[in-house]
């Protein structure tokens, strides 16, 4: 799961600022999913981000756990429910990839 391939003809539609424990959006820490036709690429610059994947929006136990350390990235496929946890020193950002221009559309959804 940590490196599901983003199709080669897709491009980055949006990138976030760098997040830490002090400014991470609450939505990323709870169940959310990437939008239809959007891959998320979580890139860790410092510390550790742990990614938990869920079978659906109602699942409480993760079916997947990926530990992403500084200098690594992981991808999240379209419409896959997940959440993250951060180490105290974590710093990361997210690139959102799609085939077509989605710059005016939401990149993820929450429960």
């Amino acid at each position: 799961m940590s490196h599901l391939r983003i199709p080669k003809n897709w491009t980055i539609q949006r990138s976030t600022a760098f997040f830490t424990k002090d400014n991470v959006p609450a939505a990323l820490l709870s169940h959310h999913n990437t939008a239809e036709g959007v891959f998320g690429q979580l890139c860790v610059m410092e510390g550790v981000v742990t990614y938990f994947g869920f079978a659906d929006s109602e699942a409480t136990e993760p079916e997947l756990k990926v530990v992403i350390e500084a200098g690594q990235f992981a991808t999240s496929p379209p419409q896959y429910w997940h959440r993250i946890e951060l180490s105290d020193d974590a710093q990361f950002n997210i690139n959102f990839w799609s085939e077509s221009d989605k710059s005016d559309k939401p990149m993820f959804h929450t429960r």
Side-chain angles (χ1 to χ4, degrees):
M1 161 37 217
S2 64
H3 293 291
L4 290 176
R5 187 176 298 256
I6 297 169
K8 66 181 178 179
N9 60 320
W10 287 27
T11 58
I12 295 175
Q13 299 299 309
R14 191 177 312 155
S15 294
T16 68
F18 287 102
F19 297 126
T20 65
K21 274 213 166 195
D22 295 331
N23 68 351
V24 63
L28 298 181
L29 303 174
S30 62
H31 266 50
H32 66 284
N33 72 358
T34 44
E36 180 179 358
V38 174
F39 258 94
Q41 178 189 33
L42 193 151
C43 303
V44 179
M45 299 302 174
E46 293 180 22
V48 176
V49 176
T50 305
Y51 174 103
F52 298 94
F54 297 90
D56 57 47
S57 65
E58 302 305 315
T60 57
E61 291 297 319
E63 64 179 3
L64 178 69
K65 177 181 175 181
V66 178
V67 177
I68 313 157
E69 298 181 1
Q72 299 178 332
F73 72 90
T75 57
S76 189
Q79 298 181 292
Y80 185 66
W81 289 93
H82 58 280
R83 69 175 178 82
I84 61 169
E85 290 180 0
L86 312 177
S87 64
D88 289 340
D89 60 343
Q91 181 175 322
F92 72 98
N93 81 318
I94 303 169
N95 298 313
F96 295 100
W97 295 73
S98 75
E99 181 176 24
S100 58
D101 182 10
K102 293 184 180 293
S103 57
D104 63 337
K105 305 236 185 310
M107 294 289 128
F108 68 92
H109 305 285
T110 59
R111 272 199 291 189

Coordinates of all heavy atoms in Angstrom, one line a residue, residues 15-71:
S15 N -0.7 21.2 -3.7 CA 0.1 20.8 -2.7 C -0.2 21.6 -1.4 O -0.5 22.8 -1.5 CB 1.6 21.0 -3.0 OG 2.0 20.2 -4.1
T16 N -0.1 20.9 -0.3 CA -0.4 21.7 1.0 C 0.9 22.3 1.5 O 2.0 22.0 1.0 CB -0.9 20.7 2.1 OG1 0.2 19.8 2.5 CG2 -2.1 19.9 1.6
A17 N 0.7 23.2 2.4 CA 1.9 23.7 3.2 C 2.4 22.6 4.0 O 1.8 21.5 4.1 CB 1.4 24.9 4.1
F18 N 3.5 22.8 4.7 CA 4.0 21.8 5.6 C 3.3 21.8 6.9 O 3.0 22.9 7.5 CB 5.5 22.1 5.9 CG 6.4 21.7 4.7 CD1 6.9 22.7 3.9 CD2 6.7 20.4 4.4 CE1 7.6 22.3 2.8 CE2 7.4 20.0 3.3 CZ 7.9 21.0 2.5
F19 N 2.9 20.7 7.4 CA 2.1 20.5 8.6 C 3.0 19.9 9.7 O 3.9 19.1 9.5 CB 0.9 19.6 8.4 CG -0.1 20.1 7.5 CD1 -0.5 19.3 6.4 CD2 -0.7 21.3 7.6 CE1 -1.4 19.7 5.5 CE2 -1.6 21.8 6.7 CZ -2.0 21.0 5.6
T20 N 2.7 20.3 11.0 CA 3.3 19.8 12.2 C 2.2 19.5 13.2 O 1.0 19.7 12.9 CB 4.3 20.8 12.8 OG1 3.6 21.9 13.3 CG2 5.4 21.2 11.8
K21 N 2.5 19.0 14.3 CA 1.5 18.8 15.4 C 0.8 20.1 15.7 O -0.4 20.0 16.1 CB 2.1 18.2 16.6 CG 2.2 16.7 16.6 CD 2.1 16.1 18.0 CE 1.9 14.6 17.8 NZ 1.3 13.9 18.9
D22 N 1.4 21.2 15.5 CA 0.8 22.5 15.9 C -0.2 23.0 14.9 O -1.1 23.8 15.2 CB 1.9 23.6 16.0 CG 2.9 23.3 17.2 OD1 2.4 22.6 18.2 OD2 4.0 23.7 17.1
N23 N -0.1 22.6 13.6 CA -1.0 23.1 12.6 C -1.7 22.1 11.7 O -2.3 22.5 10.7 CB -0.3 24.2 11.8 CG 0.8 23.6 10.9 OD1 1.1 22.4 11.0 ND2 1.3 24.4 10.0
V24 N -1.6 20.8 12.0 CA -2.2 19.8 11.2 C -3.7 20.0 11.3 O -4.3 20.1 12.3 CB -1.8 18.4 11.6 CG1 -2.2 18.0 13.0 CG2 -2.3 17.3 10.6
P25 N -4.4 20.0 10.1 CA -5.9 20.0 10.1 C -6.5 18.8 10.9 O -6.0 17.7 10.7 CB -6.2 20.0 8.7 CG -5.0 20.5 8.0 CD -3.9 20.0 8.8
A26 N -7.5 19.1 11.7 CA -8.1 18.0 12.5 C -8.7 16.9 11.5 O -8.7 15.7 11.9 CB -9.2 18.6 13.3
A27 N -9.1 17.3 10.3 CA -9.7 16.3 9.4 C -8.7 15.2 9.1 O -9.0 14.0 8.9 CB -10.1 17.0 8.1
L28 N -7.4 15.5 9.0 CA -6.4 14.5 8.7 C -6.2 13.5 9.8 O -5.7 12.4 9.6 CB -5.0 15.2 8.4 CG -5.0 16.1 7.1 CD1 -3.6 16.7 6.9 CD2 -5.5 15.4 5.9
L29 N -6.5 13.9 11.0 CA -6.3 13.0 12.2 C -7.5 12.1 12.4 O -7.5 11.3 13.3 CB -6.1 13.8 13.4 CG -4.8 14.8 13.3 CD1 -4.8 15.6 14.6 CD2 -3.6 14.0 13.1
S30 N -8.6 12.3 11.7 CA -9.8 11.4 11.8 C -10.1 10.8 10.4 O -9.5 11.2 9.4 CB -11.0 12.3 12.3 OG -11.3 13.3 11.4
H31 N -11.1 10.0 10.4 CA -11.5 9.3 9.1 C -11.8 10.3 8.0 O -12.6 11.2 8.2 CB -12.8 8.5 9.3 CG -12.7 7.1 9.7 ND1 -11.8 6.7 10.7 CD2 -13.2 6.0 9.2 CE1 -11.9 5.4 10.8 NE2 -12.7 4.9 9.9
H32 N -11.1 10.2 6.9 CA -11.3 11.0 5.7 C -10.9 10.1 4.5 O -10.2 9.1 4.7 CB -10.6 12.3 5.8 CG -9.1 12.2 5.7 ND1 -8.4 11.8 6.8 CD2 -8.2 12.4 4.7 CE1 -7.1 11.8 6.5 NE2 -7.0 12.2 5.2
N33 N -11.2 10.6 3.3 CA -10.8 9.9 2.1 C -10.4 10.9 1.1 O -10.8 12.0 1.1 CB -11.8 8.8 1.6 CG -13.0 9.4 1.0 OD1 -13.2 10.6 0.9 ND2 -13.8 8.5 0.5
T34 N -9.6 10.4 0.1 CA -9.3 11.2 -1.0 C -10.5 11.2 -2.0 O -11.2 10.2 -2.0 CB -8.0 10.7 -1.7 OG1 -8.1 9.3 -1.8 CG2 -6.7 11.1 -1.0
A35 N -10.6 12.2 -2.7 CA -11.8 12.4 -3.6 C -11.7 11.4 -4.8 O -10.6 10.8 -5.0 CB -11.9 13.8 -4.1
E36 N -12.8 11.2 -5.5 CA -12.8 10.3 -6.6 C -11.8 10.9 -7.7 O -11.7 12.1 -7.9 CB -14.2 10.3 -7.3 CG -14.3 9.5 -8.5 CD -15.7 9.5 -9.1 OE1 -16.6 10.1 -8.5 OE2 -15.9 8.8 -10.1
G37 N -11.0 10.0 -8.2 CA -10.0 10.4 -9.2 C -8.8 11.2 -8.7 O -8.1 11.8 -9.4
V38 N -8.5 11.1 -7.4 CA -7.4 11.8 -6.7 C -6.6 10.9 -5.9 O -7.1 10.1 -5.1 CB -8.0 13.0 -5.8 CG1 -6.8 13.6 -5.1 CG2 -8.7 14.0 -6.6
F39 N -5.3 10.9 -6.1 CA -4.3 10.2 -5.3 C -3.7 11.2 -4.3 O -3.4 12.3 -4.7 CB -3.2 9.6 -6.1 CG -3.2 8.2 -6.4 CD1 -3.8 7.7 -7.6 CD2 -2.7 7.3 -5.5 CE1 -3.8 6.3 -7.9 CE2 -2.7 5.9 -5.8 CZ -3.3 5.4 -7.0
G40 N -3.5 10.8 -3.1 CA -2.8 11.6 -2.1 C -1.4 11.1 -2.0 O -1.2 9.9 -2.0
Q41 N -0.4 11.9 -2.0 CA 1.0 11.5 -1.8 C 1.5 12.3 -0.5 O 1.7 13.5 -0.6 CB 1.9 11.9 -3.0 CG 3.3 11.5 -2.8 CD 4.2 12.1 -4.0 OE1 3.9 13.2 -4.5 NE2 5.2 11.4 -4.3
L42 N 1.7 11.5 0.6 CA 2.1 12.1 1.8 C 3.6 12.0 1.9 O 4.2 10.9 1.8 CB 1.4 11.3 3.0 CG 1.5 12.0 4.4 CD1 0.3 11.5 5.2 CD2 2.8 11.6 5.1
C43 N 4.3 13.1 2.0 CA 5.7 13.2 2.0 C 6.2 13.7 3.4 O 5.9 14.8 3.8 CB 6.2 14.2 0.9 SG 5.6 13.8 -0.7
V44 N 7.0 12.9 4.1 CA 7.5 13.2 5.4 C 8.9 13.8 5.3 O 9.8 13.2 4.8 CB 7.5 12.0 6.3 CG1 8.0 12.3 7.7 CG2 6.1 11.4 6.4
M45 N 9.0 15.0 5.9 CA 10.3 15.7 5.9 C 11.1 15.4 7.2 O 12.3 15.3 7.2 CB 10.1 17.2 5.7 CG 9.5 17.6 4.5 SD 10.4 17.0 3.1 CE 9.3 17.4 1.7
E46 N 10.4 15.4 8.3 CA 11.0 15.1 9.6 C 10.1 14.3 10.4 O 8.9 14.3 10.2 CB 11.3 16.4 10.4 CG 12.3 17.4 9.8 CD 12.5 18.6 10.6 OE1 12.2 18.7 11.8 OE2 12.9 19.6 10.0
G47 N 10.7 13.5 11.4 CA 9.9 12.7 12.3 C 9.2 11.5 11.6 O 9.7 11.0 10.5
V48 N 8.0 11.1 12.1 CA 7.3 10.0 11.6 C 5.8 10.3 11.5 O 5.2 10.9 12.4 CB 7.5 8.7 12.5 CG1 6.7 7.6 12.1 CG2 9.0 8.4 12.6
V49 N 5.2 9.8 10.4 CA 3.8 9.9 10.2 C 3.3 8.5 10.0 O 3.8 7.7 9.2 CB 3.3 10.8 9.0 CG1 1.8 10.7 8.8 CG2 3.8 12.2 9.2
T50 N 2.3 8.1 10.8 CA 1.7 6.7 10.7 C 0.4 6.9 10.0 O -0.5 7.6 10.5 CB 1.6 6.0 12.1 OG1 2.9 6.0 12.7 CG2 1.1 4.6 11.9
Y51 N 0.2 6.1 9.0 CA -1.0 6.1 8.1 C -1.8 4.8 8.5 O -1.3 3.7 8.5 CB -0.6 6.1 6.7 CG -1.7 6.0 5.6 CD1 -2.1 7.1 4.9 CD2 -2.2 4.7 5.3 CE1 -3.0 7.0 3.9 CE2 -3.2 4.6 4.3 CZ -3.6 5.7 3.6 OH -4.5 5.6 2.7
F52 N -3.1 5.0 8.8 CA -4.0 3.9 9.0 C -5.1 3.9 8.0 O -5.8 4.9 7.8 CB -4.7 4.1 10.4 CG -3.7 4.0 11.5 CD1 -3.2 5.2 12.0 CD2 -3.3 2.8 12.1 CE1 -2.3 5.2 13.1 CE2 -2.4 2.8 13.2 CZ -1.9 4.0 13.6
G53 N -5.2 2.8 7.3 CA -6.3 2.6 6.2 C -7.4 1.8 6.7 O -7.2 0.8 7.5
F54 N -8.6 2.1 6.3 CA -9.9 1.5 6.7 C -10.7 1.0 5.5 O -10.7 1.6 4.5 CB -10.7 2.5 7.5 CG -10.0 2.9 8.8 CD1 -9.2 4.1 8.8 CD2 -10.1 2.2 10.0 CE1 -8.5 4.5 9.9 CE2 -9.5 2.7 11.1 CZ -8.7 3.8 11.1
A55 N -11.4 -0.1 5.8 CA -12.2 -0.8 4.7 C -13.3 0.2 4.2 O -13.6 0.1 3.0 CB -12.7 -2.1 5.2
D56 N -13.8 1.0 5.1 CA -14.9 1.9 4.7 C -15.1 3.0 5.7 O -14.3 3.0 6.7 CB -16.3 1.1 4.5 CG -16.7 0.4 5.8 OD1 -16.6 0.9 6.9 OD2 -17.1 -0.8 5.6
S57 N -16.0 3.9 5.6 CA -16.2 5.0 6.5 C -16.6 4.7 7.9 O -16.4 5.4 8.8 CB -17.2 6.0 5.9 OG -18.5 5.4 5.8
E58 N -17.2 3.5 8.0 CA -17.7 3.1 9.4 C -16.7 2.2 10.1 O -16.9 2.0 11.3 CB -19.0 2.4 9.2 CG -20.1 3.2 8.5 CD -20.3 4.5 9.2 OE1 -20.4 4.6 10.5 OE2 -20.4 5.5 8.5
A59 N -15.6 1.7 9.5 CA -14.7 0.8 10.1 C -14.0 1.5 11.3 O -13.6 2.7 11.1 CB -13.7 0.3 9.1
T60 N -13.8 0.8 12.4 CA -13.1 1.4 13.5 C -11.7 0.8 13.7 O -10.8 1.4 14.3 CB -13.9 1.2 14.8 OG1 -14.2 -0.2 15.0 CG2 -15.2 2.0 14.8
E61 N -11.5 -0.4 13.2 CA -10.2 -1.1 13.2 C -9.5 -0.9 11.9 O -10.1 -1.3 10.8 CB -10.4 -2.5 13.6 CG -10.8 -2.8 15.0 CD -9.8 -2.2 16.1 OE1 -8.6 -2.4 15.9 OE2 -10.3 -1.6 17.0
P62 N -8.3 -0.5 11.8 CA -7.6 -0.3 10.5 C -7.3 -1.7 9.9 O -7.0 -2.6 10.6 CB -6.3 0.4 10.9 CG -6.1 0.2 12.3 CD -7.5 0.0 13.0
E63 N -7.4 -1.7 8.6 CA -7.0 -2.9 7.9 C -5.5 -2.8 7.4 O -4.9 -3.7 6.9 CB -7.9 -3.2 6.7 CG -7.8 -2.1 5.6 CD -8.7 -2.4 4.4 OE1 -9.4 -3.4 4.4 OE2 -8.7 -1.6 3.4
L64 N -4.9 -1.6 7.6 CA -3.6 -1.3 7.1 C -2.9 -0.3 8.0 O -3.6 0.7 8.5 CB -3.8 -0.7 5.7 CG -2.5 -0.3 4.9 CD1 -1.7 -1.5 4.6 CD2 -2.9 0.5 3.7
K65 N -1.6 -0.5 8.2 CA -0.8 0.5 9.0 C 0.5 0.6 8.2 O 1.2 -0.3 8.0 CB -0.6 0.0 10.4 CG 0.3 0.9 11.2 CD 0.5 0.3 12.6 CE 1.5 1.2 13.4 NZ 1.8 0.6 14.7
V66 N 0.8 1.9 7.9 CA 2.1 2.2 7.2 C 2.8 3.3 8.0 O 2.3 4.3 8.3 CB 1.8 2.7 5.8 CG1 3.1 3.0 5.1 CG2 1.1 1.7 5.0
V67 N 4.0 3.0 8.4 CA 4.9 3.9 9.1 C 5.8 4.6 8.1 O 6.5 4.0 7.4 CB 5.7 3.2 10.2 CG1 6.6 4.2 10.9 CG2 4.8 2.5 11.2
I68 N 5.6 5.9 8.0 CA 6.4 6.7 7.0 C 7.4 7.6 7.7 O 7.0 8.5 8.5 CB 5.4 7.6 6.2 CG1 4.2 6.8 5.7 CG2 6.1 8.2 5.0 CD1 3.0 7.7 5.4
E69 N 8.6 7.3 7.5 CA 9.7 8.1 8.2 C 10.3 9.2 7.3 O 10.0 9.3 6.1 CB 10.8 7.1 8.6 CG 10.3 6.0 9.5 CD 11.4 5.0 9.9 OE1 12.6 5.2 9.5 OE2 11.1 4.1 10.7
A70 N 11.0 10.1 8.0 CA 11.6 11.2 7.3 C 12.3 10.8 6.0 O 13.0 9.8 6.0 CB 12.6 11.9 8.2
G71 N 12.1 11.5 4.9 CA 12.6 11.2 3.6 C 11.8 10.2 2.8 O 12.2 9.8 1.7

